[in-house]
């Protein structure tokens, strides 16, 4: 395994060593792995400085629902890429989102706790259950499917 495979806590500097995302599209700030390769909790601090709040919506800032799904996708990708032999040579492409439910708007000042659980892995295809939680309440949930692929230029 790689040097990250047994690490439990990751800050933003660790995260960008594994994920290809960069500002303004990196949507997780820190991670705690509960069970390597199986489950983690990621944190996203939502601030008014986020670029999407300028237009979504002026006077009533709400995090776009698709970005909460993207934060889950990034956390799921991290869960798997932190376990592969050479994470900088791989990426994850998400192929489906099922059963997405948006229960409450996410607003500036919220701290998203993103729980990701691997449900099934067959070869390079992974299925996850994800939840975004604010103040101990589930605000978004979905099942995501993704494939581990070779990273171009990796």
């Amino acid at each position: 395994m790689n040097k990250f495979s047994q690490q439990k806590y990751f800050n933003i500097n660790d995260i960008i060593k594994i994920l290809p995302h960069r500002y303004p599209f990196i949507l997780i700030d820190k991670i705690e792995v509960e069970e390597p390769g199986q489950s983690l909790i990621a944190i996203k601090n939502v601030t008014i400085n986020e670029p999407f709040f300028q237009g979504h919506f002026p006077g009533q800032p709400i995090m776009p629902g698709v970005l909460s799904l993207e934060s889950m996708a990034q956390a799921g990708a991290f869960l798997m890429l932190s376990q592969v032999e050479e994470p900088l040579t791989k990426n994850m492409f998400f192929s489906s989102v099922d059963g997405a439910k948006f229960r409450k708007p996410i607003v500036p000042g919220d701290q998203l706790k993103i729980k990701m659980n691997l449900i099934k892995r067959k070869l390079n295809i992974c299925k996850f259950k994800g939840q975004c939680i604010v103040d101990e309440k589930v605000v978004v949930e979905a099942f995501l499917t993704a494939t581990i692929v070779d990273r171009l230029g990796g």
Side-chain angles (χ1 to χ4, degrees), residues 48 51-65 105-108:
I48 194 64
F52 49 80
F53 283 136
Q54 291 179 29
H56 200 268
F57 299 101
Q60 189 179 13
I62 295 171
M63 183 176 182
I106 300 165
V107 299

Side-chain angles (χ1 to χ4, degrees), residues 113-128:
K113 185 186 291 185
I114 304 151
K115 289 188 175 186
M116 293 302 294
N117 292 294
L118 178 67
I119 296 173
K120 182 179 181 181
R121 179 175 178 183
K122 186 173 182 180
L123 301 174
N124 284 341
I125 299 173
C126 305
K127 184 166 185 168
F128 304 91

Side-chain angles (χ1 to χ4, degrees), residues 64-75:
V66 70
L67 294 183
S68 59
L69 295 174
E70 175 63 25
S71 67
M72 284 191 261
Q74 290 180 19

Side-chain angles (χ1 to χ4, degrees), residues 22-79:
R22 296 296 178 265
Y23 178 83
F25 220 68
I26 186 88
L27 295 176
I28 48 181
D29 297 317
K30 66 181 179 178
I31 291 173
E32 178 182 350
V33 174
E34 294 180 307
E35 186 178 343
Q38 294 298 312
S39 63
L40 62 68
I41 296 173
I43 300 295
K44 165 68 178 152
N45 295 304
V46 181
T47 71
I48 194 64
N49 296 326
E50 307 284 354
F52 49 80
F53 283 136
Q54 291 179 29
H56 200 268
F57 299 101
Q60 189 179 13
I62 295 171
M63 183 176 182
V66 70
L67 294 183
S68 59
L69 295 174
E70 175 63 25
S71 67
M72 284 191 261
Q74 290 180 19
F78 187 92
L79 180 62

